[in-house]
Amino acid sequence: MLEEVVDFAGEALPGASAVPPYSETEFLAELGERVRSSRMRCDLSRRELARRSGISERYIAQIEGGKGNVSVVLLLRLASAIHRSQRQAA
């Protein structure tokens, strides 16, 4: 499972090309956009992602909007839920 999460993190987490000093606001906005695009690529609604990850739909909306300062543990839950959806779609 860790390998799957690392693969998702490489895709979802911005910063590979970030050169300090970077803007935390821009980082969170890009992270949110990557979570949204991953969710949409799996054809998941926020409600369904919330159900599968155990994270509230409202908080997922905040993350996707670049407003939520998400923890690593919550990112793991999102990544796992999205990855399971990718496997089911294949």
Side-chain angles (χ1 to χ4, degrees):
M1 179 173 149
L2 183 58
E3 182 178 313
E4 296 164 353
V5 172
V6 169
D7 290 344
F8 175 79
E11 174 184 319
L13 294 177
S17 62
V19 178
Y22 58 88
S23 165
E24 291 179 7
T25 302
E26 289 176 19
F27 178 88
L28 290 174
E30 187 175 340
L31 173 65
E33 179 54 40
R34 289 180 183 204
V35 169
R36 178 186 293 114
S37 66
S38 294
R39 174 180 62 78
M40 293 178 79
R41 194 171 43 250
C42 294
D43 198 30
L44 285 174
S45 66
R46 280 189 189 139
R47 177 171 288 160
E48 183 60 19
L49 180 56
R51 187 187 70 74
R52 292 179 185 202
S53 67
I55 300 169
S56 76
E57 187 177 348
R58 184 178 196 144
Y59 193 61
I60 291 171
Q62 289 177 339
I63 293 167
E64 289 183 354
K67 306 273 190 265
N69 193 356
V70 63
S71 73
V72 172
V73 172
L74 291 184
L75 278 176
L76 175 64
R77 287 167 53 187
L78 287 170
S80 180
I82 289 171
H83 183 74
R84 282 192 311 268
S85 296
Q86 287 174 335
R87 286 197 320 225
Q88 290 173 354

